[in-house]
Structures are given as structure tokens and as C-alpha cells.
């Protein structure tokens, strides 16, 4: 997998969530994603950016255009230096939250994307990566 | 200074068109402003047009749901109109159900639905009065 371009956005406050959304929107518009897939990617990005802020106390989003021969895609990574996640299975459950949201962020983002990975070095930081692929035209 | 979404009063209803990016603080400000206006104008219906929104995440979904629940407690109905199909698909997959919130495809249909919801209530009130008279 080749990374064709990448950019980073700091997530320090609520306004930064909107900045991440618009950066992601700009990048996915470059690929030929359907409107439904564009919406899914932007929504997943919004969920994970909010997680970084709410649970990780801030962090960074990395937006990459990736190329794998017959397909291209967008890979989004969200990293924070928060407390980490002690129980992945619980965190992935719909409706489970330690914050004030609905507990749909992680599980929802996984459903909206093609690939999902999470690593947490409890007690210091969490990294979530999501990817959506598009057949090369 | 938080950007605020204008709320228009038309008779017994309030009309809200969300045309800006629905930032977290903008969403929360709308919830407060709407609640105030419902009480000030004794509004019976709120029409929220989201046709310009390009996504609704779980936070926004929660705020919209809370607006509907709060206005219901204040004797007011909420109808959400103009949701893009891509948003409906995404919200369903994400797991947001927006229970208790009425929807219509267009603003026109939404106004009809609001009228129906509002008149149903008035009928119930007059029915109650008849029983009281007996």
C-alpha cells in the first residue's frame, strides 16, 4: 500500500472537529466515492474526532490518500494521549459510553468503513485507524 | 460569539433552516434558543429543515432528538424535513434511530404533518371539554 498524500489536523477543541470534517470532505471528493460513501466517511471521521476530544483530551487526525494497485482509498488515523481503553470489547459495544454521548462512536465508525483497527497502550493513548476503498476507474 | 441559527415565527409554528455547518456549540445554542421561543410564543409546532446538512453524526442526532423531546414536554410538536438519502443510510448504519421525532420529505409535507398533529391535539382538547360538560 502506497501513501499518495497525507495531512494532519490537531484536535484541541470542538471547532477542530468541524475542521477535520471539512478536510476529510475535501480529500474524499478527490476520489470517486459515491455520495453515500462520502457521507459515511465524513460521519465516521466526526465520531472519532469527537472521541479524541472527549475521551483522549485532544490529539491528532491524519488523513491519507492510499493506493493499492487496483484500488484507491482514504485512511484516517486518530491518535490521542488519553487514558487508553482498558476493555476493547466493551468499548465497541453500541450504547456503552464513559462519556456523555450515545456510545455509538467506535462501533458505528467500524460499520461505516471497510477496515477498522484500534490499538491502545493503556494507560497512555489510543489510536484508531479506518479505511474506505474505492475501485480504481 | 457563537454563530446562531435564525428561528422564524409563522403563526403557531417556528421554522428553522439549518444552513450553516452544524457545529457542536451551534447545535446546543439552537436547542436553547428554540426552547425559549416555544415558551415565549406559545408555539405548537417546530419545523426543522436539514436539507443543507451534509451529515448528521451521533452528537447532532442526539441534539435533534433532545430538541424534539424537550419541545414535546412544552406541548409542541417537532417535524424534521429534507433529510438527504445518504444521511438516512449513514444514520441507520451508525445506529441513530431518532425515536419520537416525526419526519417528512419536504417542507410542504412537513407543514401538513404539523397541522395534522396540532389539530389532533385540539380535537382531543375539545373532546375533553365535552366530557367535562356532561
Amino acid at each position: 500500500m502506497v501513501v499518495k498524500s497525507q495531512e494532519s489536523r490537531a484536535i484541541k477543541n470542538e471547532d477542530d472537529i468541524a475542521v477535520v470534517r471539512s478536510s476529510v470532505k475535501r480529500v474524499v471528493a478527490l476520489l470517486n466515492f459515491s455520495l453515500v460513501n462520502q457521507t459515511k466517511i465524513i460521519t465516521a471521521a466526526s465520531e472519532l474526532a469527537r472521541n479524541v476530544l472527549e475521551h483522549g483530551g485532544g490529539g491528532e487526525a491524519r488523513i491519507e490518500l492510499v493506493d493499492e494497485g487496483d484500488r484507491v482509498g482514504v485512511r484516517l488515523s486518530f491518535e490521542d494521549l488519553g487514558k487508553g481503553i482498558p476493555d476493547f470489547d466493551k468499548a465497541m459495544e453500541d450504547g456503552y459510553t464513559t462519556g456523555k454521548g450515545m456510545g455509538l462512536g467506535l462501533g458505528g465508525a467500524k460499520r461505516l468503513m471497510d477496515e477498522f483497527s484500534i490499538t491502545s497502550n493503556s494507560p497512555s493513548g489510543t489510536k484508531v485507524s479506518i479505511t474506505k476503498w474505492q475501485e480504481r476507474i | 460569539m457563537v454563530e446562531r441559527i435564525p428561528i422564524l415565527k409563522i403563526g403557531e409554528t417556528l421554522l428553522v433552516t439549518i444552513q450553516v455547518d452544524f457545529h457542536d456549540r451551534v447545535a446546543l445554542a439552537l436547542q436553547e434558543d428554540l426552547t425559549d421561543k416555544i415558551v415565549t410564543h406559545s408555539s405548537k409546532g417546530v419545523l426543522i429543515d436539514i436539507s443543507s446538512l451534509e451529515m448528521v453524526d451521533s452528537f447532532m442526532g442526539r441534539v435533534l432528538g433532545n430538541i424534539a423531546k424537550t419541545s414535546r414536554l412544552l406541548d409542541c410538536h417537532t417535524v424534521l424535513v429534507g433529510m438527504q438519502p445518504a444521511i438516512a443510510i449513514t444514520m441507520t448504519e451508525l445506529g441513530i434511530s431518532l425515536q419520537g421525532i416525526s419526519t417528512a420529505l419536504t417542507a410542504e409535507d412537513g407543514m401538513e404533518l404539523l397541522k395534522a398533529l396540532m389539530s389532533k391535539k385540539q380535537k382531543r382538547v375539545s373532546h375533553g371539554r365535552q366530557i367535562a360538560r356532561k
Side-chain angles (χ1 to χ4, degrees):
Chain A
M1 185 163 67
V2 185
V3 177
K4 304 264 274 190
S5 78
Q6 81 165 55
E7 54 185 282
S8 292
R9 293 280 175 270
I11 303 169
K12 292 194 194 107
N13 56 50
E14 286 167 354
D15 292 339
D16 292 335
I17 299 176
V19 173
V20 169
R21 275 203 299 266
S22 56
S23 300
V24 170
K25 186 189 166 193
R26 194 162 30 75
V27 170
V28 294
L30 298 174
L31 303 180
N32 273 307
F33 282 112
S34 68
L35 183 59
V36 171
N37 279 339
Q38 288 186 32
T39 308
K40 285 181 180 181
I41 298 164
I42 298 167
T43 308
S46 191
E47 294 294 328
L48 295 180
R50 186 167 284 106
N51 274 357
V52 164
L53 191 65
E54 219 170 89
H55 302 286
E60 196 182 66
R62 199 168 69 234
I63 305 159
E64 294 167 310
L65 271 180
V66 289
D67 191 318
E68 218 183 48
D70 57 342
R71 59 182 189 170
V72 286
V74 59
R75 182 169 65 185
L76 310 171
S77 308
F78 297 83
E79 210 164 353
D80 65 58
L81 294 170
K83 285 182 290 184
I85 299 173
D87 188 342
F88 279 140
D89 292 340
K90 263 227 119 63
M92 293 301 295
E93 253 173 47
D94 276 356
Y96 177 79
T97 179
T98 55
K100 49 193 165 141
M102 298 202 285
L104 295 172
L106 284 179
K110 186 179 181 182
R111 283 192 294 276
L112 294 173
M113 303 295 281
D114 294 329
E115 285 170 24
F116 177 95
S117 76
I118 180 166
T119 46
S120 181
N121 307 319
S122 189
S124 65
T126 303
K127 182 180 177 181
V128 181
S129 288
I130 51 176
T131 312
K132 192 104 182 159
W133 294 104
Q134 169 75 23
E135 306 256 316
R136 186 187 288 285
I137 307 165
Chain B
M1 181 64 193
V2 184
E3 204 174 350
R4 290 192 119 83
I5 297 170
I7 301 168
L8 308 177
K9 175 185 176 293
I10 303 170
E12 283 190 305
T13 58
L14 296 174
L15 179 63
V16 181
T17 303
I18 302 172
Q19 285 180 331
V20 293
D21 189 7
F22 206 37
H23 284 222
D24 294 15
R25 275 179 294 144
V26 176
L28 294 172
L30 174 66
Q31 191 178 349
E32 260 178 48
D33 292 349
L34 253 182
T35 316
D36 284 348
K37 293 240 169 160
I38 289 169
V39 174
T40 313
H41 301 304
S42 306
S43 302
K44 298 294 172 211
V46 174
L47 188 88
I48 303 177
D49 169 38
I50 59 163
S51 55
S52 314
L53 275 189
E54 56 193 13
M55 62 130 237
V56 173
D57 65 7
S58 62
F59 179 86
M60 297 172 191
R62 195 174 80 223
V63 173
L64 290 171
N66 284 350
I67 286 175
K69 276 184 210 153
T70 312
S71 59
R72 200 63 211 100
L73 288 175
L74 299 171
D75 193 21
C76 178
H77 293 278
T78 306
V79 174
L80 200 63
V81 302
M83 185 184 291
Q84 305 284 347
I87 294 182
I89 293 171
T90 303
M91 281 178 71
T92 307
E93 212 145 308
L94 191 60
I96 311 172
S97 59
L98 282 187
Q99 264 175 353
I101 196 161
S102 306
T103 56
L105 283 184
T106 65
E108 209 170 1
D109 293 347
M111 285 308 282
E112 287 299 314
L113 179 57
L114 264 186
K115 269 186 212 154
L117 288 168
M118 283 154 58
S119 70
K120 208 193 280 174
K121 206 195 75 198
Q122 272 162 2
K123 265 182 211 152
R124 215 169 38 227
V125 171
S126 56
H127 181 63
R129 279 197 198 117
Q130 278 168 8
I131 290 171
R133 248 183 260 135
K134 283 176 192 168

